[in-house]
Amino acid sequence: MTNISINKLHEFRDHPYQVLDNDEMNNLITSVQQQGIMTPLIVRPLENTTDEYEIISGHRRFRAAQKAGLAEVPAFIRPVSRDEAAIMLVDSNLHREHILPSEKAYAYKLKADALNHQGKRTDLTSEQFAPKLSTELIAEQEGTSKDTVKRYIRLTKLIPDILKMVDEQRIAFSVGVELSYLTEYEQKDLFEAIELEDKTPSLSQAIQMKKLSQAGKLDSETISRIISEEKPNQREKISFQLDELSKYFPKKYTPQDIYKRLLKLAQDDYRRRQRNRGER
DNA sequence: TCCCCATATTGAGAGTTGGA
DNA sequence: TCCAACTCTCAATATGGGGA
């Protein structure tokens, strides 16, 4: 372990985790200020430099040390490639208790990209000859399916405003995945429509927009129309007690028969009223 | 990679029940 | 009669499998 000047440290490019200024962060800063000591960071030497380092683990401690005014921080130096560092970073952070969908999305992407770079080998034989896809490997390690990993990676195609809504659970994960197929401009129009209507799309609405987008038929007007539509579970329903109605129908009628008959009577009544209106 | 479909899970709202 | 607790139903959502 060595002490490294804080000026020589750089955050990992594409670092997917948010370092929030919350109570936890403030406690960390206070702890660093009062004790002046901290758990060592894990860093790697930056290519083409002599004494500059990239942080693999300890971004929050680094920020706290900066705010506390420390000149140096303790660190373990690991001479690893950027891809290896990316995998280490993601692995150490993915198992945090609270991780936002956006963080998971960028973490999976970072790791998948790193694994893809590493996978470009020609010296493998036997079962190594057909290495598993990066998403399959991540899925195995995370105890999920490769499709779920791909879905998370799809979220990285969302514009920040919509991705934030997924993080805030205002938009469901699967809805976010479908919306990721919209172009950046369509997503911006959608975000405006969401703000204006104060409504978020359901999965079926998101699928509808995706299909229209792929057909080149999705404009801001269509987006507003779809967003403002009433969702099936928002429509009013009426219900009857079977006892109230069954006495007016033959005993052999099932509830479905009664429903069909009532619908038919309503249709006949509607037509009769239309005719009467026409005769006047 | 994308699409479609099936199945499981979740959550909201409506209805029912039982005790005060 | 009121109200809380429980149950049921259904739409929305998450996930996985298979095929193109």
Side-chain angles (χ1 to χ4, degrees):
Chain A
M1 188 186 76
T2 45
N3 282 328
I4 299 176
S5 166
I6 207 153
N7 299 326
K8 302 289 181 188
L9 291 169
H10 302 275
E11 293 203 30
F12 199 88
R13 192 160 40 82
D14 305 327
H15 176 252
Y17 305 102
Q18 294 183 18
V19 183
L20 303 170
D21 285 330
N22 55 18
D23 290 345
E24 209 182 327
M25 190 67 189
N26 291 333
N27 290 342
L28 192 58
I29 295 167
T30 311
S31 158
V32 169
Q33 277 171 333
Q34 285 173 354
Q35 299 173 25
I37 52 168
M38 56 191 286
T39 309
L41 275 56
I42 297 176
V43 302
R44 73 176 194 103
L46 269 176
E47 291 90 354
N48 307 322
T49 64
T50 49
D51 58 351
E52 305 263 321
Y53 301 90
E54 192 171 46
I55 302 166
I56 299 172
S57 171
H59 287 82
R60 291 161 52 82
R61 277 167 277 152
F62 169 67
R63 291 272 185 96
Q66 273 183 324
K67 292 197 174 181
L70 297 191
E72 289 184 331
V73 291
F76 289 112
I77 300 168
R78 297 274 184 270
V80 294
S81 71
R82 190 163 199 287
D83 287 336
E84 286 169 324
I87 293 167
M88 285 169 71
L89 185 152
V90 170
D91 287 344
S92 68
N93 283 283
L94 268 179
H95 296 97
R96 266 168 48 204
E97 200 176 337
H98 303 293
I99 180 160
L100 296 170
S102 62
E103 293 176 325
K104 219 177 202 179
Y106 280 101
Y108 283 165
K109 187 170 188 300
L110 191 60
K111 189 169 176 179
D113 288 346
L115 287 169
N116 283 337
H117 295 153
Q118 288 191 328
K120 287 175 184 170
R121 293 176 61 182
T122 54
D123 58 334
L124 302 174
T125 56
S126 175
E127 57 190 30
Q128 286 179 304
F129 188 71
K132 287 191 173 176
L133 294 171
S134 56
T135 48
E136 272 183 85
L137 274 173
I138 297 169
E140 222 168 67
Q141 288 158 5
E142 290 300 307
T144 183
S145 72
K146 67 178 194 306
D147 291 324
T148 301
V149 172
K150 281 181 197 168
R151 286 182 185 118
Y152 270 104
I153 292 174
R154 280 286 342 164
L155 292 185
T156 63
K157 308 276 182 191
L158 287 173
I159 62 169
D161 286 328
I162 295 182
L163 186 57
K164 192 176 168 209
M165 296 179 91
V166 176
D167 281 341
E168 293 167 348
Q169 296 183 324
R170 288 175 65 197
I171 289 179
F173 170 71
S174 52
V175 175
V177 172
E178 297 302 323
L179 296 177
S180 73
Y181 291 92
L182 271 54
T183 66
E184 190 185 334
Y185 295 110
E186 289 164 346
Q187 289 187 40
K188 282 178 179 168
D189 284 342
L190 171 65
F191 180 69
E192 278 179 24
I194 289 171
E195 294 289 274
L196 197 67
E197 298 284 339
D198 198 23
K199 286 179 177 175
T200 53
S202 66
L203 182 62
S204 60
Q205 287 173 328
I207 291 170
Q208 195 185 349
M209 285 188 269
K210 175 184 164 185
K211 283 180 180 167
L212 288 168
S213 170
Q214 286 168 339
K217 293 177 181 172
L218 189 66
D219 53 27
S220 56
E221 210 171 291
T222 311
I223 289 171
S224 296
R225 182 181 53 76
I226 292 171
I227 282 291
S228 58
E229 275 172 5
E230 197 177 36
K231 298 184 180 82
N233 66 343
Q234 292 172 333
R235 289 180 197 135
E236 286 197 50
K237 290 178 191 166
I238 55 168
S239 60
F240 297 100
Q241 287 293 325
L242 193 58
D243 298 351
E244 291 178 63
L245 293 171
S246 57
K247 57 189 171 193
Y248 302 114
F249 295 90
K251 280 192 179 145
K252 62 176 182 178
Y253 268 40
T254 63
Q256 188 62 22
D257 293 333
I258 294 174
Y259 170 75
K260 283 180 185 167
R261 183 74 187 138
L262 280 174
L263 210 58
K264 177 81 173 51
L265 289 168
Q267 284 165 351
D268 290 347
D269 182 58
Y270 173 75
R271 288 197 197 101
R272 191 167 47 247
R273 281 185 282 119
Q274 291 289 315
R275 271 201 306 274
N276 290 345
R277 213 172 288 169
E279 286 167 10
R280 271 182 220 154

